[in-house]
Amino acid sequence: MSALEAIFYLFATILVASAFMVISARNPVHSVLFLVLAFFNGAALFILAGAEFLGFTLILVYVGAVMVLFLFVIMMLDINLSRMREGILNYLPLGAVIAFILVVEMAMALTAGGEAPMIGGDSALGGEEAGNTTLLGRVLYTDYFLPFEVAALVLLVALVAAIALTLRRRPDSKYQEPGEQVQVRRGDRVRMVDMPSEGGQGTDQ
């Protein structure tokens, strides 16, 4: 077994183990940490396979964006945060171990990844010296530029439709008009009433 195969099986084993811990950990914070570890191992496998674009995209999109969303969801859950903050130092060893493993794995993947396979050797796309990311970008924005823009337009329409659905008028909902609120006068909100005093008469029961 070569060193590259050993590293591959190491990443695959840690990926499966961390994925199992995501669904078996009872603490949601631990589940998030193990999910980050699973994403990093998946990215390392992509890099070893020569798909560095997918590997770094997995880190940037899922670890950088999706995991932030997961953390927001966890914070919105009905969790006793004060009790969790009391033992926050207990999470430090686990977080340090996971961070150390991630650094070591990424260093191993980047140093032992070997030569990445090329998509093609066309000189018009950069020749043999171009990497997968360069070739993918040039093909995407030349041969598949129209489908790429159509997909972007479809996503934009879906985004506008989602916003329109949430802003539709409902008879049982109250809305604010900032333009009318800033133009309001005191006389529109407060009315002075002159009422005679009733005196100090008490009531007989």
Side-chain angles (χ1 to χ4, degrees):
M1 179 183 298
S2 62
L4 187 60
E5 293 178 350
I7 295 175
F8 173 82
Y9 286 117
L10 175 63
F11 288 163
T13 303
I14 298 178
L15 175 60
V16 174
S18 58
F20 176 77
M21 291 302 299
V22 169
I23 61 176
S24 61
R26 303 183 64 179
N27 193 315
V29 178
H30 290 174
S31 297
V32 170
L33 292 176
F34 282 115
L35 188 57
V36 171
L37 180 60
F39 284 153
F40 267 96
N41 281 273
L45 292 177
F46 279 128
I47 294 175
L48 289 177
E52 69 277 0
F53 177 79
L54 295 178
F56 288 108
T57 302
L58 180 62
I59 295 176
L60 293 176
V61 175
Y62 283 89
V63 178
V66 176
M67 293 310 304
V68 175
L69 177 62
F70 285 176
L71 290 176
F72 273 110
V73 172
I74 291 176
M75 289 188 293
M76 293 175 62
L77 294 177
D78 188 12
I79 301 176
N80 190 356
L81 297 178
S82 60
R83 182 178 179 183
M84 294 180 63
R85 291 193 185 98
E86 293 176 356
I88 192 171
L89 293 178
N90 298 329
Y91 302 140
L92 184 59
L94 178 62
V97 171
I98 293 179
F100 177 75
I101 294 175
L102 293 178
V103 172
V104 173
E105 288 182 344
M106 294 306 297
M108 295 171 62
L110 293 176
T111 56
E115 296 182 357
M118 298 297 172
I119 298 177
D122 190 1
S123 59
L125 297 178
E128 294 292 341
E129 68 277 3
N132 286 336
T133 305
T134 303
L135 296 175
L136 180 61
R138 292 179 179 178
V139 172
L140 184 63
Y141 289 104
T142 54
D143 297 339
Y144 298 98
F145 180 76
L146 181 59
F148 180 78
E149 292 298 328
V150 170
L153 182 61
V154 170
L155 293 177
L156 178 61
V157 172
L159 179 62
V160 174
I163 297 175
L165 289 176
T166 58
L167 295 179
R168 68 180 186 274
R169 293 286 180 176
R170 299 176 182 175
D172 56 344
S173 299
K174 296 182 179 180
Y175 297 91
Q176 294 182 349
E177 297 293 341
E180 297 179 0
Q181 291 176 349
V182 297
Q183 296 177 2
V184 70
R185 296 176 299 175
R186 184 184 63 178
D188 299 333
R189 300 297 186 184
V190 180
R191 182 167 59 94
M192 303 298 296
V193 179
D194 188 9
M195 298 179 61
S197 62
E198 297 181 356
Q201 299 179 358
T203 57
D204 297 334
Q205 299 292 335

